[in-house]
Amino acid sequence: MSLPAEEFAPVPLSAVLRQGTRDAHAGANSERFIEELLSGGLTRAAHADLTAQLLPVYEALEEASAALGDDHRGAGLVFAELARVPALERDLAFLYGPGWREEIRILPATRAYADHVREVGGSLPHYTAHSYTRYLGDLSGGQIVKRMMKEHYGLDEEGVAFYTFPDIPKVKVFKDAYRHQLDLLDLDDDEVAATLAETHLAFTLNRAVFTELAAVHC
Ligand code: HEM
């Protein structure tokens, strides 16, 4: 008896990552710092500190995006409308004032995260893992974070530009297009495994930053 071809169809990378990180995701968003920040139990300074920690991470990630270049297999994952560094710089100038570069304090876990992204970002599975974890997260839970920061900490649009994607009018449509690009990457089995493993590491690196932020703010 012959089976329909779809019985053998490989699981698309977007589904591998979504299903494979469900528990890691639940763990990350039940971190004490995140729970207290989102429920309004912290201060605007805690939001500012989280924003500060994101800057080195996105500098490293977006350097890796630029280095992928037009002809690389991963170029389909690089979208100009996702770039977050300029928005982070605007938020930090608003939250800390014009001397923000001297004011912000980068935590050891943040340094470790950014250094790691810089170290591995030239490898497609690793780049994919870090791009997926941050950008799809920003376009998903990030939109909830934005609403909560505005509601609890008296912010309007200034100070939450990081969570606003002015060139992405329909987030769901964009997320589907991003997932489609993930599925077109044409990774072999070892590369898919490496991508999933690195995505778990990306969640762990984010959680380490939340743990250090909790020690300061909770
Ligand atoms: C702050 C608390 C968080 C909330 C409330 C939250 C909420 C959500 C929600 C509702 C989705 C589903 C969106 C959809 O189906 O389209 C989602 C997806 C996602 N989140 Fe979070 N999240 C949070 C934290 C995080 C963190 C800390 C990370 C990692 C750094 C993260 C990474 C992701 C990723 C990668 C996805 C996409 C899953 C996929 O469709 O493949 N989230 N989040």
Side-chain angles (χ1 to χ4, degrees):
M1 187 183 91
S2 69
L3 292 166
E6 57 268 24
E7 296 268 345
F8 300 106
V11 180
L13 182 62
S14 60
V16 169
L17 296 181
R18 173 180 253 181
Q19 286 154 19
T21 59
R22 203 157 272 165
D23 290 350
H25 184 269
N29 71 39
S30 60
E31 282 284 334
R32 182 166 178 214
F33 177 79
I34 292 298
E35 285 194 343
E36 292 194 14
L37 184 73
L38 293 196
S39 64
L42 302 183
T43 59
R44 193 191 283 199
H47 163 68
D49 204 354
L50 172 60
T51 307
Q53 305 316 309
L54 293 173
L55 181 65
V57 172
Y58 281 83
E59 284 173 340
L61 183 57
E62 289 173 10
E63 276 168 32
S65 306
L68 271 187
D70 288 340
D71 58 353
H72 194 282
R73 270 199 302 167
L77 277 189
V78 179
F79 292 86
E81 52 272 59
L82 288 175
R84 296 291 83 203
V85 169
L88 283 167
E89 291 179 340
R90 281 202 307 284
D91 284 342
L92 292 169
F94 174 76
L95 294 164
Y96 287 89
W100 65 271
R101 280 190 199 275
E102 283 67 51
E103 295 280 321
I104 63 174
R105 200 164 46 107
I106 301 306
L107 295 165
T110 304
R111 285 264 170 256
Y113 184 2
D115 287 351
H116 178 76
V117 171
R118 206 160 263 124
E119 203 174 304
V120 302
S123 135
L124 183 57
H126 295 78
Y127 173 80
T128 301
H130 289 284
S131 167
Y132 164 81
T133 304
R134 285 301 337 174
Y135 293 124
L136 267 204
D138 300 335
L139 289 165
S140 307
Q143 301 310 296
I144 300 166
V145 176
K146 176 182 175 181
R147 207 168 57 239
M148 295 296 130
M149 295 306 97
K150 291 170 81 170
E151 192 173 311
H152 294 310
Y153 305 115
L155 293 160
D156 194 7
E157 286 302 313
E158 283 187 308
V160 291
F162 168 74
Y163 300 101
T164 306
F165 292 82
D167 298 324
I168 300 181
K170 290 197 182 341
V171 166
K172 184 181 178 320
V173 172
F174 184 90
K175 286 201 296 190
D176 287 344
Y178 182 96
R179 289 192 187 102
H180 183 61
Q181 289 302 324
L182 284 174
D183 297 340
L184 289 177
L185 281 178
D186 194 26
L187 303 181
D188 66 27
D189 289 352
D190 287 348
E191 289 174 318
V192 169
T195 306
L196 180 58
E198 186 67 13
T199 305
H200 279 122
L201 179 58
F203 274 89
T204 301
L205 291 166
N206 277 277
R207 292 186 72 170
V209 174
F210 299 149
T211 301
E212 290 189 4
L213 283 167
V216 178
H217 297 282
C218 294

